[in-house]
């Protein structure tokens, strides 16, 4: 396929790449969608044409599947065009030996309407139960890999932090202001990386089923009272008002620490995305139609989240584009972890939001009857 010019007139995208990800062929329609000249695409990693989430999907699912089965069908991916727009597409791929090397040939079909690709995705899911089992295996392997890598990465990162601290303390002599500034930036980045890695490790543990839930009776008010003091200084510093309306007699069957972790995550987000004089409130209630569950809710009067991003924010590494400064603050893992934890306790985490009005995150948990 990589020397067949007639594929330029096909009504679909065609791309071929090697096992190391290097693109060796792309047809004209694909280049057009991506807004990239063919010559620029050749030799680049195939991941460079994917949006972040799809890159991870490629690494953890698609490529392992190709290795295991030699083919992958009806995979939904988001292509990332040169101008930053995402293009939903379905792809079929086959991996085979050609000219003494492994080549994967893909046919890519654009899916213009969300409903269409969601329908296709559901069908593909149903049809591909066995493929999913394999993907799960690959996912398991990914979790093990992440756990190992996280450990490996943490050691040098801790060393960077430690040595930066020695410099800061003046152990190696006084520092100029410019040097201190640079050091502060190094330390900030080091902390950010460390947090990212710790969260990755958390996620890997949850995904590989290594998390143990110590389920007990948890009085929601006691969780809120334990967590609020941790976040209040940050809310106060940013002049964000806060209110708690949680009855003292409402309890869940849950793991106390995990509920605290979820609540802290939600409050930290609420604080991050709410401006001065905004309001962050926590309340809780039994399910109105479902007396067997309880709701614990964190609301803010912050920026809000665009409707079409609402489900995506629970995916790992997803951050809604706000200003670049904010983006750097988080890792995009907090909500993914929080929802996994809530589900691990037989509950869930849901969001409602309106741009410019605010957001509301609700944790549901099994209720402990008094
Ligand atoms: P992060 O570490 O980036 O905060 P999260 O998984 O906690 O990661 O959140 C993912 C994204 O969801 C955030 O980057 C932000 O875009 C959006 N988000 C989460 N909570 C809120 C909120 N309360 N208000 C507005 N946007 C939010």
């Amino acid at each position: 396929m990589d020397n067949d010019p007639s594929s330029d007139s096909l009504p679909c995208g065609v791309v071929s790449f090697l096992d190391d990800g290097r693109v060796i062929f792309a047809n004209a329609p694909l280049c057009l969608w991506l807004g990239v000249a063919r010559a620029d695409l050749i030799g680049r990693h195939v991941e460079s044409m994917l949006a972040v989430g799809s890159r991870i999907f490629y690494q953890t699912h698609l490529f392992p599947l190709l290795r295991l089965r030699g083919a992958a069908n009806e995979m939904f991916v988001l292509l990332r065009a040169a101008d930053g727009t995402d293009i939903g597409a379905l792809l079929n791929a086959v991996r085979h030996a050609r000219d003494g090397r492994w080549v994967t040939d893909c046919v890519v079909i654009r899916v213009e309407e969300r409903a269409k690709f969601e329908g296709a995705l559901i069908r593909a899911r149903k049809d591909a139960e066995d493929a999913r089992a394999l993907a799960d295996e690959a996912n398991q392997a990914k979790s093990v890999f992440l756990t190992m890598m996280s450990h490996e990465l943490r050691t040098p990162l801790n060393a960077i932090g430690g040595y930066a601290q020695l410099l800061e303390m003046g152990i190696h002599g006084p520092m100029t202001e410019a040097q201190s500034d640079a050091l502060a930036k190094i330390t900030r980045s080091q902390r950010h990386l460390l947090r990212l890695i710790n969260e990755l490790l958390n996620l890997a543990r949850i995904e590989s089923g290594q998390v143990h839930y110590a389920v007990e009776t948890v009085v929601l008010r006691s969780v809120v009272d334990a967590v609020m003091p941790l976040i209040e200084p940050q809310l106060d510093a940013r002049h964000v008002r806060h209110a708690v309306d949680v009855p003292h007699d409402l309890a869940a069957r849950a793991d106390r620490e995990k509920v605290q972790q979820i609540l802290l995550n939600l409050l930290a987000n609420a604080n991050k995305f709410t401006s001065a004089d905004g309001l962050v409130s926590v309340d809780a209630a039994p399910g109105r139609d479902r007396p067997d569950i309880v709701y614990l809710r964190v609301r803010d009067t912050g920026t809000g989240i665009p409707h079409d991003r609402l489900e995506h924010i629970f995916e790992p590494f997803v951050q809604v584009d706000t200003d670049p400064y904010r983006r750097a603050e988080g890792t995009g893992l907090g909500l993914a972890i929080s929802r996994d934890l809530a589900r691990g306790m037989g509950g869930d985490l849901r969001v409602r939001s309106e741009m410019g009005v605010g957001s509301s995150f609700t944790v549901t948990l099994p209720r402990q009857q008094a």
Side-chain angles (χ1 to χ4, degrees):
M1 201 185 296
D2 47 326
N3 44 21
D4 178 6
S6 66
S7 75
D8 281 348
S9 53
L10 291 175
C12 63
V14 177
V15 58
S16 303
F17 58 88
L18 300 178
D19 269 3
D20 64 6
R22 254 183 311 140
V23 173
I24 53 171
F25 174 77
N27 75 342
L30 185 70
C31 297
L32 193 70
W33 300 342
L34 295 172
V36 180
R38 179 155 26 201
D40 290 338
L41 212 52
I42 305 296
R44 283 213 329 231
H45 199 287
V46 65
E47 283 178 21
S48 68
M49 64 174 75
L50 297 175
V52 179
S54 292
R55 273 184 218 167
I56 295 166
F57 178 72
Y58 168 82
Q59 290 163 9
T60 59
H61 289 77
L62 188 51
F63 192 63
L65 204 62
L66 284 167
R67 293 285 294 258
L68 285 167
R69 304 232 316 185
N73 289 323
E74 289 189 55
M75 294 287 163
F76 176 71
V77 291
L78 277 178
L79 302 175
R80 172 67 54 90
D83 65 3
T85 50
D86 290 345
I87 303 167
L90 283 174
L91 71 80
N92 282 6
V94 280
R95 175 176 175 267
H96 41 199
R98 192 161 66 226
D99 304 333
R101 52 192 188 172
W102 287 99
V103 177
T104 298
D105 293 319
C106 300
V107 170
V108 186
I109 297 175
R110 268 182 93 138
V111 200
E112 307 280 349
E113 291 163 43
R114 208 188 156 87
K116 256 199 251 166
F117 67 65
E118 275 171 355
L121 194 61
I122 288 165
R123 268 200 309 284
R125 282 222 176 105
K126 277 205 191 110
D127 291 348
E129 281 302 324
D130 55 336
R132 274 175 66 82
L134 278 169
D136 282 349
E137 250 173 63
N139 198 27
Q140 186 79 14
K142 175 205 69 179
S143 297
V144 173
F145 169 77
L146 275 179
T147 309
M148 271 165 47
M149 277 308 288
S150 304
H151 276 298
E152 296 299 317
L153 290 170
R154 272 201 301 190
T155 313
L157 265 176
N158 279 324
I160 292 173
Y163 283 109
Q165 220 167 17
L166 290 182
L167 289 173
E168 213 171 78
M169 288 160 69
I171 302 280
H172 300 299
M175 285 199 301
T176 66
E177 204 172 311
Q179 285 168 337
S180 287
D181 272 0
L183 197 61
K185 286 186 185 125
I186 292 174
T187 308
R188 232 184 354 254
S189 300
Q190 181 260 352
R191 286 208 192 106
H192 176 68
L193 263 182
L194 202 58
R195 200 174 61 194
L196 178 65
I197 288 164
N198 283 336
E199 291 194 356
L200 264 179
L201 196 60
N202 267 334
L203 192 69
R205 282 209 192 103
I206 298 171
E207 286 192 345
S208 58
Q210 287 173 22
V211 172
H212 173 68
Y213 294 90
V215 174
E216 54 176 330
T217 300
V218 178
V219 175
L220 292 178
R221 180 66 193 223
S222 72
V223 171
V224 176
D225 287 345
V227 170
M228 282 314 281
L230 305 177
I231 192 82
E232 264 162 5
Q234 293 173 47
L235 289 164
D236 290 343
R238 301 189 58 250
H239 301 288
V240 174
R241 290 169 297 131
H242 45 88
V244 170
D245 179 14
V246 177
H248 286 269
D249 58 354
L250 194 59
R253 291 287 304 158
D255 178 320
R256 171 181 300 277
E257 265 185 31
K258 310 274 187 309
V259 182
Q260 286 183 354
Q261 189 181 340
I262 296 171
L263 183 62
L264 191 59
N265 262 333
L266 297 180
L267 284 167
N269 277 347
N271 174 44
K272 235 186 329 188
F273 296 101
T274 306
S275 49
D277 287 332
L279 176 66
V280 170
S281 45
V282 185
D283 62 359
R288 212 175 291 153
D289 309 320
R290 299 261 327 258
D292 56 324
I293 61 172
V294 287
Y295 294 112
L296 178 62
R297 182 169 65 161
V298 175
R299 278 180 300 172
D300 64 59
T301 58
T303 55
I305 303 159
H307 267 236
D308 60 340
R309 304 301 295 161
L310 277 182
E311 264 314 299
H312 297 293
I313 58 173
F314 294 103
E315 290 163 18
F317 304 108
V318 171
Q319 298 184 310
V320 179
D321 283 13
T322 45
D323 59 82
Y325 174 70
R326 277 217 175 120
R327 278 174 68 91
E329 271 181 14
T331 56
L333 284 171
L335 288 177
I337 291 173
S338 298
R339 182 149 87 171
D340 279 354
L341 288 177
R343 289 183 173 173
M345 293 186 284
D348 207 348
L349 174 60
R350 297 206 190 86
V351 61
R352 300 174 74 147
S353 186
E354 203 169 322
M355 288 298 284
V357 177
S359 308
S360 156
F361 286 84
T362 305
V363 190
T364 53
L365 290 169
R367 183 175 182 189
Q368 171 69 55
Q369 296 291 351

